[in-house]
Amino acid sequence: MTQATLILIKPDGLKKSLTGNILTRLSETKLEIVAAKIVRVSRQLAEEHYCHLKEKPFFPELIRYLQGELHDRRKVMALIYWGEDAISKCRELAGATNPEKAESTSIRGSYGRITTAGIYENVIHVSSNDSEAEREIKLWFSPEEIIVNLYPTKEVARKEKKVKAWA
Ligand code: UDP
Ligand code: MG
């Protein structure tokens, strides 16, 4: 089944200069990258992304982690990988959520750690199923930023809005 998945290289991945290594590992999947960007993560975006964990005791620290406040790197790299069984292929390479339980050759097993505060710093996010992928991709990307048509779109008239242009 052709699928799309959101991939985030989390702030610890960027701080540890792991972008190249992680992308090289993901290239083993032979999937196609159909969108990519660096994002400064607002609290609202972080909270929305992890809304399923809102009730967890580690939620506030997790939000700080995704926003880069634990690593002095206030950004993440967001990508969309697309192709046959994209979700299971990427999740397998990523490894288990807990980096200590993850296969040692997986991305999280190789590069992740558990902080003293108990947060799993596991360097990468991968959507876990189709509906989560759709929700997350729509949260992180607009249709024009993706080079294939993943989901139905509609045309909307925007009121005149100020945007930044090159001076
Ligand atoms: N997380 C954590 N402690 C936990 C569970 C999750 O620190 O006990 C963090 C970890 O960074 C994880 C993220 O919260 O990647 C999202 O959790 P989820 O259960 O969705 O795991 P994932 O889909 O990332 O494997
Ligand atoms: Mg998850």
Side-chain angles (χ1 to χ4, degrees), residues 28-93:
E28 290 168 24
T29 61
K30 306 272 194 291
L31 296 165
E32 200 180 325
I33 298 172
V34 295
K37 62 181 176 179
I38 295 287
V39 184
R40 183 148 340 261
V41 183
S42 67
R43 172 187 277 269
Q44 191 188 354
L45 176 58
E47 289 183 349
E48 191 67 35
H49 178 75
Y50 279 136
C51 61
H52 63 294
L53 298 170
K54 218 181 215 142
E55 306 305 325
K56 300 281 184 192
F58 57 81
F59 185 70
E61 193 70 358
L62 178 63
I63 296 311
R64 285 180 11 93
Y65 167 36
L66 192 64
Q67 285 196 270
E69 289 179 17
L70 309 181
H71 296 91
D72 198 27
R73 281 286 186 289
R74 285 176 181 70
K75 58 189 175 184
V76 303
M77 186 167 188
L79 306 105
I80 301 172
Y81 277 72
W82 182 68
E84 191 67 18
D85 297 328
I87 295 176
S88 59
K89 283 178 181 164
C90 293
R91 280 203 65 103
E92 171 144 13
L93 274 177

